Amino acid sequence: MNYDEFNAFCGSFPATSHVVQWGNSDVWKVGDKVFAIGGWSKNGQAAFIFKVSDLNFDFLSNSEGYQPAPYFANRGMKWIQQIDTEGNLDEDLKYYLSESYRIVANGLSKKRQAELGILCQSEKRT
């Protein structure tokens, strides 16, 4: 996945906003809460950061192509960075971005979810 594909996918979720910040990274938010970041690679290739469950954090932290996200994971947050973006992990990335959106959106207050029109939002994008 490249950054254009990443931005198109993240933009397909309801009630999202996009800003460019933190070293020219593409930052995607729902209800003003970050759910995905495109950027921060060391080698100039695409890299993507997303929030994960505790179980997925443990699994992906030890999986090839992934690492605990810089600046997030070292503060105890469950964020992962996908550093292998050669295309064979695109479907996995879509799943994890969908899950990140769901986790963050479900963490918003019910009132905020209702304001955004995403109350009980639990669908997964494929």
Side-chain angles (χ1 to χ4, degrees), residues 10-92:
C10 290
S12 72
F13 293 103
T16 59
S17 61
H18 171 258
V19 295
V20 176
Q21 63 187 66
W22 299 331
N24 207 31
S25 296
D26 291 301
V27 179
W28 283 92
K29 301 178 181 184
V30 58
D32 297 323
K33 302 290 184 184
V34 175
F35 75 92
I37 303 168
W40 294 350
S41 66
K42 292 182 180 177
N43 58 7
Q45 293 188 345
F48 306 103
I49 297 172
F50 44 87
K51 188 171 187 161
V52 294
S53 67
D54 290 347
L55 184 62
N56 280 334
F57 184 82
D58 292 340
F59 172 72
L60 292 174
S61 292
N62 297 306
S63 297
E64 189 171 335
Y66 300 92
Q67 67 181 18
Y71 311 109
F72 287 88
N74 63 356
R75 289 175 172 79
M77 298 182 213
K78 304 297 182 181
W79 289 75
I80 289 288
Q81 183 179 41
Q82 183 190 42
I83 52 177
D84 179 1
T85 57
E86 294 300 314
N88 58 337
L89 296 177
D90 280 2
E91 290 306 311
D92 291 347

Coordinates of all heavy atoms in Angstrom, one line a residue, residues 10-92:
C10 N -8.4 5.2 4.6 CA -8.8 5.8 5.8 C -9.9 6.8 5.7 O -10.8 7.0 6.5 CB -7.6 6.5 6.5 SG -6.3 5.3 7.1
G11 N -9.9 7.5 4.5 CA -11.0 8.5 4.2 C -12.3 7.9 4.0 O -13.3 8.6 3.9
S12 N -12.4 6.6 3.8 CA -13.6 5.9 3.5 C -14.5 5.6 4.7 O -15.6 5.3 4.7 CB -13.4 4.6 2.7 OG -12.8 3.6 3.6
F13 N -13.8 5.8 5.9 CA -14.6 5.6 7.2 C -15.4 6.8 7.5 O -15.0 7.9 7.2 CB -13.6 5.3 8.3 CG -12.9 4.0 8.2 CD1 -11.5 4.0 7.8 CD2 -13.5 2.8 8.5 CE1 -10.8 2.8 7.7 CE2 -12.8 1.6 8.4 CZ -11.5 1.6 8.0
P14 N -16.6 6.6 8.1 CA -17.4 7.7 8.5 C -16.8 8.6 9.5 O -16.1 8.2 10.4 CB -18.7 7.1 9.1 CG -18.6 5.6 8.8 CD -17.2 5.3 8.5
A15 N -17.1 9.9 9.4 CA -16.7 10.9 10.4 C -15.3 11.0 10.7 O -14.8 11.3 11.8 CB -17.5 10.7 11.7
T16 N -14.4 10.9 9.6 CA -13.0 11.0 9.8 C -12.5 12.4 9.4 O -13.2 13.1 8.6 CB -12.2 9.9 9.0 OG1 -12.5 10.1 7.6 CG2 -12.5 8.5 9.5
S17 N -11.3 12.7 9.9 CA -10.7 14.0 9.4 C -9.2 13.6 9.2 O -8.7 12.7 9.8 CB -10.9 15.1 10.5 OG -10.3 14.7 11.7
H18 N -8.6 14.4 8.3 CA -7.2 14.2 7.9 C -6.4 15.5 8.2 O -6.9 16.6 7.8 CB -7.2 13.8 6.4 CG -5.8 13.8 5.9 ND1 -5.3 14.8 5.1 CD2 -4.8 12.9 6.0 CE1 -4.0 14.5 4.7 NE2 -3.7 13.3 5.3
V19 N -5.3 15.4 8.8 CA -4.4 16.5 8.9 C -3.0 16.0 8.6 O -2.7 14.8 8.7 CB -4.4 17.1 10.4 CG1 -5.7 17.7 10.7 CG2 -4.0 16.1 11.4
V20 N -2.1 16.9 8.2 CA -0.7 16.6 8.0 C 0.0 17.3 9.1 O -0.1 18.5 9.3 CB -0.2 17.2 6.6 CG1 1.3 16.9 6.5 CG2 -1.0 16.5 5.5
Q21 N 0.7 16.5 9.9 CA 1.4 17.0 11.1 C 2.5 16.0 11.5 O 2.7 15.0 10.8 CB 0.5 17.2 12.3 CG -0.2 16.0 12.8 CD -1.3 16.4 13.8 OE1 -2.3 17.0 13.5 NE2 -1.1 15.9 15.1
W22 N 3.2 16.3 12.5 CA 4.2 15.4 13.1 C 5.2 14.9 12.0 O 5.3 13.7 11.7 CB 3.6 14.1 13.7 CG 2.7 14.4 14.9 CD1 2.8 15.5 15.7 CD2 1.6 13.7 15.3 NE1 1.8 15.4 16.7 CE2 1.0 14.3 16.4 CE3 1.0 12.5 14.8 CZ2 -0.1 13.8 17.1 CZ3 -0.1 12.0 15.5 CH2 -0.7 12.7 16.6
G23 N 5.9 15.9 11.5 CA 7.0 15.5 10.5 C 6.4 15.2 9.1 O 6.9 14.3 8.5
N24 N 5.3 15.9 8.7 CA 4.7 15.7 7.4 C 4.0 14.4 7.3 O 4.0 13.8 6.2 CB 5.7 16.0 6.3 CG 5.1 16.4 5.0 OD1 4.0 17.1 5.1 ND2 5.7 16.1 3.9
S25 N 3.5 13.8 8.3 CA 2.8 12.6 8.3 C 1.3 12.8 8.0 O 0.7 13.8 8.4 CB 2.9 11.8 9.6 OG 4.3 11.5 9.9
D26 N 0.7 11.8 7.4 CA -0.8 11.8 7.2 C -1.4 11.2 8.4 O -1.2 10.1 8.7 CB -1.1 11.0 6.0 CG -0.7 11.6 4.7 OD1 -1.1 12.8 4.4 OD2 0.1 11.0 3.9
V27 N -2.2 12.1 9.1 CA -2.8 11.7 10.4 C -4.3 11.6 10.2 O -4.9 12.6 9.8 CB -2.4 12.6 11.6 CG1 -3.0 12.2 12.9 CG2 -0.8 12.7 11.7
W28 N -4.9 10.5 10.5 CA -6.3 10.3 10.4 C -6.9 10.2 11.8 O -6.4 9.5 12.7 CB -6.6 9.0 9.6 CG -6.4 9.3 8.1 CD1 -5.2 9.1 7.4 CD2 -7.3 9.9 7.2 NE1 -5.4 9.6 6.1 CE2 -6.7 10.0 6.0 CE3 -8.6 10.3 7.4 CZ2 -7.3 10.5 4.9 CZ3 -9.3 10.8 6.2 CH2 -8.6 10.9 5.0
K29 N -8.1 10.9 11.9 CA -8.7 11.0 13.2 C -10.2 10.7 13.1 O -10.8 10.9 12.0 CB -8.6 12.4 13.8 CG -7.1 12.8 14.1 CD -7.0 14.2 14.6 CE -5.6 14.6 14.8 NZ -5.5 15.9 15.4
V30 N -10.8 10.2 14.1 CA -12.3 10.1 14.3 C -12.6 10.8 15.6 O -12.0 10.4 16.6 CB -12.8 8.6 14.2 CG1 -12.2 7.7 15.2 CG2 -14.3 8.6 14.3
G31 N -13.5 11.7 15.6 CA -13.8 12.5 16.8 C -12.6 13.1 17.4 O -12.5 13.1 18.6
D32 N -11.7 13.6 16.6 CA -10.5 14.3 17.1 C -9.5 13.3 17.8 O -8.6 13.8 18.4 CB -10.8 15.5 18.0 CG -11.6 16.6 17.2 OD1 -11.3 16.8 16.0 OD2 -12.5 17.2 17.8
K33 N -9.7 12.0 17.6 CA -8.8 11.0 18.2 C -8.1 10.3 17.1 O -8.8 9.8 16.2 CB -9.5 10.0 19.1 CG -10.3 10.7 20.3 CD -9.4 11.2 21.3 CE -10.2 11.7 22.5 NZ -9.3 12.3 23.5
V34 N -6.8 10.2 17.2 CA -6.0 9.6 16.1 C -6.3 8.1 16.0 O -6.3 7.4 17.1 CB -4.5 9.8 16.3 CG1 -3.6 9.0 15.3 CG2 -4.2 11.3 16.3
F35 N -6.5 7.6 14.8 CA -6.6 6.1 14.6 C -5.6 5.6 13.6 O -5.3 4.4 13.6 CB -8.0 5.7 14.3 CG -8.4 6.0 12.8 CD1 -8.3 5.0 11.8 CD2 -9.0 7.2 12.5 CE1 -8.7 5.3 10.5 CE2 -9.4 7.4 11.2 CZ -9.2 6.5 10.2
A36 N -4.9 6.4 12.8 CA -4.0 5.9 11.9 C -3.0 7.0 11.5 O -3.4 8.2 11.4 CB -4.7 5.4 10.6
I37 N -1.8 6.6 11.2 CA -0.7 7.6 10.8 C 0.0 7.0 9.6 O 0.5 5.8 9.7 CB 0.2 7.9 11.9 CG1 -0.5 8.5 13.1 CG2 1.3 8.9 11.4 CD1 0.3 8.6 14.4
G38 N 0.2 7.7 8.6 CA 1.1 7.3 7.5 C 2.4 8.1 7.5 O 2.3 9.3 7.3
G39 N 3.5 7.5 7.8 CA 4.7 8.2 7.8 C 5.7 7.6 8.9 O 5.4 6.6 9.4
W40 N 6.8 8.3 9.1 CA 7.8 8.0 10.1 C 8.7 6.8 9.7 O 9.2 6.1 10.6 CB 7.2 7.7 11.5 CG 6.6 8.9 12.1 CD1 6.6 10.2 11.7 CD2 5.8 8.9 13.3 NE1 5.9 11.0 12.5 CE2 5.4 10.3 13.5 CE3 5.4 7.9 14.2 CZ2 4.6 10.6 14.6 CZ3 4.6 8.3 15.2 CH2 4.2 9.6 15.4
S41 N 8.9 6.5 8.4 CA 9.8 5.4 8.1 C 11.2 5.9 8.1 O 11.5 7.1 7.8 CB 9.4 4.9 6.7 OG 9.7 5.8 5.7
K42 N 12.1 5.0 8.4 CA 13.5 5.4 8.4 C 14.2 5.3 7.1 O 15.1 6.0 6.8 CB 14.3 4.5 9.4 CG 13.9 4.7 10.9 CD 14.7 3.8 11.8 CE 14.3 4.1 13.2 NZ 14.9 3.2 14.2
N43 N 13.7 4.4 6.2 CA 14.3 4.2 4.9 C 13.6 4.9 3.8 O 14.0 4.6 2.6 CB 14.4 2.7 4.7 CG 13.0 2.1 4.6 OD1 12.0 2.7 4.7 ND2 13.0 0.7 4.6
G44 N 12.7 5.8 4.0 CA 12.0 6.5 2.9 C 10.8 5.7 2.3 O 10.1 6.3 1.5
Q45 N 10.6 4.5 2.7 CA 9.5 3.7 2.2 C 8.3 4.0 3.1 O 8.4 4.5 4.2 CB 9.8 2.2 2.1 CG 10.9 1.9 1.1 CD 11.0 0.4 1.0 OE1 10.5 -0.4 1.8 NE2 11.7 -0.1 -0.1
A46 N 7.1 3.6 2.5 CA 5.9 3.8 3.3 C 5.9 3.0 4.6 O 6.4 1.9 4.6 CB 4.7 3.5 2.4
A47 N 5.3 3.6 5.6 CA 5.2 3.0 6.9 C 3.9 3.5 7.5 O 3.5 4.6 7.4 CB 6.3 3.2 7.8
F48 N 3.2 2.6 8.2 CA 1.8 2.9 8.7 C 1.7 2.5 10.2 O 2.2 1.5 10.6 CB 0.8 2.2 7.9 CG 0.9 2.5 6.4 CD1 1.4 1.6 5.6 CD2 0.5 3.7 5.9 CE1 1.6 1.8 4.2 CE2 0.7 4.0 4.6 CZ 1.2 3.1 3.7
I49 N 1.1 3.4 11.0 CA 0.9 3.2 12.4 C -0.6 3.2 12.7 O -1.4 3.9 12.2 CB 1.6 4.4 13.2 CG1 3.1 4.4 12.9 CG2 1.3 4.3 14.7 CD1 3.8 5.6 13.4
F50 N -0.9 2.2 13.6 CA -2.3 2.0 14.0 C -2.4 1.5 15.4 O -1.5 0.9 15.9 CB -3.1 1.1 13.0 CG -2.3 -0.1 12.6 CD1 -2.3 -1.3 13.4 CD2 -1.4 -0.1 11.5 CE1 -1.6 -2.4 13.1 CE2 -0.7 -1.2 11.2 CZ -0.7 -2.4 12.0
K51 N -3.6 1.7 16.0 CA -3.9 1.2 17.4 C -4.3 -0.2 17.3 O -5.1 -0.6 16.3 CB -4.9 2.1 18.0 CG -5.2 1.8 19.5 CD -6.1 2.8 20.1 CE -6.1 2.6 21.6 NZ -6.6 3.7 22.4
V52 N -4.0 -1.0 18.3 CA -4.3 -2.4 18.2 C -4.8 -2.9 19.6 O -4.5 -2.2 20.6 CB -3.2 -3.3 17.8 CG1 -2.8 -3.1 16.3 CG2 -2.0 -3.2 18.6
S53 N -5.4 -4.0 19.7 CA -5.8 -4.6 20.9 C -4.6 -5.2 21.6 O -3.5 -5.3 21.0 CB -6.8 -5.8 20.7 OG -6.1 -6.8 20.0
D54 N -4.7 -5.5 22.9 CA -3.6 -6.0 23.6 C -3.0 -7.3 23.0 O -1.8 -7.5 22.8 CB -4.0 -6.3 25.1 CG -4.2 -5.1 25.9 OD1 -3.8 -4.0 25.5 OD2 -4.8 -5.2 27.0
L55 N -4.0 -8.2 22.6 CA -3.6 -9.5 22.0 C -2.8 -9.2 20.6 O -1.8 -9.8 20.4 CB -4.8 -10.3 21.7 CG -4.6 -11.7 21.2 CD1 -3.7 -12.5 22.2 CD2 -5.9 -12.4 20.9
N56 N -3.4 -8.3 19.8 CA -2.7 -8.0 18.5 C -1.4 -7.3 18.7 O -0.4 -7.5 18.0 CB -3.6 -7.2 17.6 CG -4.6 -8.1 16.9 OD1 -4.4 -9.3 16.7 ND2 -5.7 -7.5 16.5
F57 N -1.3 -6.5 19.8 CA 0.0 -5.9 20.1 C 1.1 -6.9 20.4 O 2.2 -6.9 19.8 CB -0.1 -4.9 21.2 CG 1.1 -4.1 21.5 CD1 1.5 -3.0 20.8 CD2 2.0 -4.5 22.5 CE1 2.6 -2.3 21.0 CE2 3.2 -3.9 22.8 CZ 3.5 -2.7 22.0
D58 N 0.7 -7.9 21.2 CA 1.7 -8.9 21.6 C 2.1 -9.8 20.3 O 3.3 -10.1 20.1 CB 1.1 -9.9 22.6 CG 1.0 -9.2 24.0 OD1 1.6 -8.1 24.2 OD2 0.2 -9.6 24.8
F59 N 1.1 -10.1 19.5 CA 1.3 -10.9 18.3 C 2.2 -10.1 17.3 O 3.2 -10.6 16.8 CB 0.0 -11.3 17.7 CG 0.1 -11.9 16.3 CD1 0.7 -13.2 16.2 CD2 -0.2 -11.3 15.2 CE1 0.8 -13.8 15.0 CE2 -0.1 -11.9 13.9 CZ 0.4 -13.1 13.8
L60 N 1.8 -8.9 17.0 CA 2.5 -8.1 15.9 C 3.8 -7.6 16.4 O 4.7 -7.5 15.5 CB 1.6 -6.9 15.5 CG 0.3 -7.3 14.7 CD1 -0.5 -6.1 14.4 CD2 0.7 -8.1 13.4
S61 N 4.0 -7.4 17.7 CA 5.3 -7.0 18.1 C 6.4 -8.0 17.8 O 7.6 -7.6 17.7 CB 5.3 -6.7 19.6 OG 4.5 -5.6 20.0
N62 N 6.0 -9.2 17.6 CA 7.0 -10.3 17.3 C 6.8 -10.8 15.9 O 7.3 -11.9 15.6 CB 6.8 -11.4 18.4 CG 7.1 -10.9 19.8 OD1 8.2 -10.4 20.0 ND2 6.2 -11.1 20.7
S63 N 6.1 -10.1 15.0 CA 5.9 -10.6 13.7 C 6.8 -9.8 12.7 O 7.0 -8.6 12.9 CB 4.5 -10.4 13.3 OG 3.6 -11.2 14.1
E64 N 7.3 -10.5 11.7 CA 8.1 -9.8 10.7 C 7.3 -8.8 9.9 O 6.1 -9.0 9.6 CB 8.6 -10.9 9.7 CG 9.7 -10.3 8.8 CD 10.4 -11.4 8.0 OE1 10.4 -12.6 8.4 OE2 10.8 -11.1 6.9
G65 N 7.9 -7.6 9.7 CA 7.2 -6.6 9.0 C 6.5 -5.6 9.9 O 6.0 -4.6 9.4
Y66 N 6.6 -5.8 11.2 CA 5.9 -4.9 12.2 C 6.8 -4.6 13.3 O 7.8 -5.4 13.6 CB 4.6 -5.6 12.8 CG 3.6 -5.9 11.7 CD1 3.6 -7.2 11.1 CD2 2.6 -5.0 11.4 CE1 2.6 -7.5 10.2 CE2 1.7 -5.3 10.4 CZ 1.7 -6.6 9.8 OH 0.7 -6.9 8.9
Q67 N 6.6 -3.5 14.0 CA 7.3 -3.2 15.3 C 6.4 -2.3 16.1 O 5.5 -1.7 15.6 CB 8.6 -2.5 14.9 CG 8.4 -1.1 14.3 CD 9.7 -0.4 14.0 OE1 10.8 -1.1 13.9 NE2 9.7 0.9 13.8
P68 N 6.7 -2.3 17.4 CA 6.0 -1.3 18.3 C 6.2 0.1 17.7 O 7.3 0.4 17.3 CB 6.6 -1.5 19.7 CG 7.1 -3.0 19.6 CD 7.5 -3.2 18.2
A69 N 5.2 0.9 17.6 CA 5.3 2.2 17.0 C 6.2 3.1 17.8 O 6.0 3.2 19.0 CB 3.9 2.8 16.8
P70 N 7.1 3.8 17.2 CA 7.9 4.7 17.9 C 7.1 5.8 18.5 O 6.0 6.2 18.0 CB 8.8 5.4 16.8 CG 8.7 4.4 15.6 CD 7.4 3.7 15.7
Y71 N 7.5 6.3 19.6 CA 6.8 7.4 20.4 C 5.5 7.0 21.1 O 5.1 7.6 22.0 CB 6.6 8.6 19.5 CG 7.8 9.1 18.7 CD1 7.8 8.9 17.3 CD2 8.9 9.6 19.3 CE1 8.9 9.3 16.6 CE2 10.0 10.0 18.6 CZ 10.0 9.8 17.2 OH 11.1 10.2 16.5
F72 N 4.9 6.0 20.6 CA 3.6 5.5 21.2 C 3.9 4.4 22.1 O 3.5 4.4 23.3 CB 2.6 5.1 20.1 CG 2.0 6.2 19.3 CD1 2.6 6.7 18.2 CD2 0.8 6.8 19.7 CE1 2.1 7.8 17.5 CE2 0.2 7.8 19.0 CZ 0.9 8.3 17.9
A73 N 4.4 3.3 21.6 CA 4.6 2.1 22.3 C 5.5 2.3 23.5 O 5.3 1.7 24.6 CB 5.1 1.0 21.4
N74 N 6.5 3.1 23.4 CA 7.4 3.3 24.5 C 6.8 4.2 25.6 O 7.4 4.4 26.7 CB 8.8 3.9 24.1 CG 8.7 5.3 23.5 OD1 7.6 5.8 23.3 ND2 9.8 5.9 23.1
R75 N 5.6 4.6 25.4 CA 4.8 5.3 26.4 C 3.7 4.4 27.0 O 2.7 4.9 27.6 CB 4.2 6.6 25.9 CG 5.3 7.7 25.7 CD 4.7 8.9 25.0 NE 5.6 10.0 24.9 CZ 6.6 10.1 24.1 NH1 6.8 9.1 23.2 NH2 7.4 11.1 24.1
G76 N 3.8 3.1 26.6 CA 2.8 2.2 27.1 C 1.5 2.0 26.3 O 0.6 1.3 26.7
M77 N 1.5 2.7 25.2 CA 0.3 2.7 24.3 C 0.4 1.5 23.4 O 1.5 1.1 23.0 CB 0.1 4.0 23.5 CG -0.1 5.2 24.4 SD -0.3 6.6 23.3 CE 0.4 7.9 24.3
K78 N -0.7 0.9 23.0 CA -0.7 -0.3 22.1 C -0.9 0.2 20.7 O -2.0 0.1 20.1 CB -1.9 -1.2 22.5 CG -1.8 -1.6 24.0 CD -0.6 -2.4 24.3 CE -0.6 -2.9 25.7 NZ 0.5 -3.6 26.2
W79 N 0.2 0.7 20.1 CA 0.3 1.1 18.7 C 1.4 0.3 18.0 O 2.4 0.1 18.6 CB 0.5 2.6 18.6 CG -0.6 3.4 19.0 CD1 -1.1 3.7 20.3 CD2 -1.5 4.1 18.2 NE1 -2.2 4.5 20.3 CE2 -2.5 4.8 19.0 CE3 -1.6 4.3 16.8 CZ2 -3.5 5.5 18.5 CZ3 -2.7 5.0 16.3 CH2 -3.6 5.7 17.1
I80 N 1.1 -0.1 16.8 CA 2.0 -0.9 16.0 C 2.4 -0.1 14.7 O 1.5 0.6 14.1 CB 1.4 -2.3 15.6 CG1 1.4 -3.1 16.8 CG2 2.2 -2.9 14.5 CD1 2.7 -3.7 17.3
Q81 N 3.6 -0.3 14.2 CA 4.0 0.3 12.9 C 4.3 -0.8 12.0 O 5.0 -1.7 12.3 CB 5.2 1.2 13.1 CG 5.6 1.8 11.8 CD 6.9 2.7 11.9 OE1 7.8 2.4 12.6 NE2 6.8 3.9 11.3
Q82 N 3.6 -0.8 10.8 CA 3.9 -1.8 9.8 C 5.0 -1.2 8.9 O 4.9 -0.1 8.4 CB 2.6 -2.0 8.9 CG 2.9 -3.0 7.8 CD 1.8 -3.1 6.8 OE1 1.3 -2.1 6.3 NE2 1.5 -4.4 6.4
I83 N 6.1 -1.9 8.9 CA 7.3 -1.4 8.2 C 7.5 -2.1 6.9 O 8.3 -1.7 6.0 CB 8.5 -1.4 9.1 CG1 8.7 -2.7 9.7 CG2 8.4 -0.3 10.1 CD1 10.0 -2.9 10.5
D84 N 6.9 -3.2 6.7 CA 7.0 -4.0 5.4 C 5.7 -3.7 4.6 O 4.6 -4.1 5.0 CB 7.1 -5.5 5.7 CG 7.1 -6.3 4.4 OD1 7.1 -5.7 3.3 OD2 7.2 -7.5 4.5
T85 N 5.9 -2.9 3.5 CA 4.7 -2.5 2.7 C 4.9 -2.9 1.3 O 4.5 -2.2 0.4 CB 4.5 -0.9 2.8 OG1 5.7 -0.3 2.4 CG2 4.2 -0.5 4.3
E86 N 5.5 -4.0 1.1 CA 5.7 -4.5 -0.3 C 4.5 -5.0 -1.0 O 4.5 -5.5 -2.1 CB 6.8 -5.6 -0.2 CG 8.1 -5.2 0.2 CD 8.7 -4.1 -0.7 OE1 8.7 -4.3 -1.9 OE2 9.2 -3.1 -0.2
G87 N 3.3 -5.0 -0.4 CA 2.1 -5.4 -1.0 C 1.5 -6.7 -0.5 O 0.3 -6.9 -0.6
N88 N 2.3 -7.6 0.0 CA 1.8 -8.8 0.5 C 1.1 -8.7 1.8 O 0.4 -9.6 2.3 CB 2.9 -9.9 0.7 CG 4.1 -9.4 1.6 OD1 4.3 -8.2 1.8 ND2 4.8 -10.4 2.1
L89 N 1.2 -7.5 2.5 CA 0.5 -7.3 3.7 C -0.7 -6.3 3.6 O -1.2 -5.8 4.6 CB 1.5 -6.8 4.8 CG 2.6 -7.8 5.2 CD1 3.5 -7.2 6.2 CD2 2.0 -9.1 5.8
D90 N -1.0 -5.9 2.4 CA -2.1 -4.9 2.2 C -3.4 -5.3 2.8 O -4.1 -4.5 3.5 CB -2.3 -4.6 0.7 CG -1.2 -3.7 0.1 OD1 -0.3 -3.3 0.9 OD2 -1.4 -3.3 -1.1
E91 N -3.8 -6.5 2.6 CA -5.1 -7.0 3.2 C -5.0 -7.0 4.7 O -6.0 -6.6 5.4 CB -5.5 -8.3 2.7 CG -6.0 -8.3 1.2 CD -7.0 -7.3 0.9 OE1 -8.1 -7.2 1.6 OE2 -6.9 -6.5 0.0
D92 N -3.9 -7.4 5.3 CA -3.7 -7.3 6.7 C -3.8 -5.9 7.2 O -4.4 -5.6 8.2 CB -2.4 -7.9 7.1 CG -2.3 -9.4 6.9 OD1 -3.3 -10.1 6.7 OD2 -1.2 -10.0 7.0

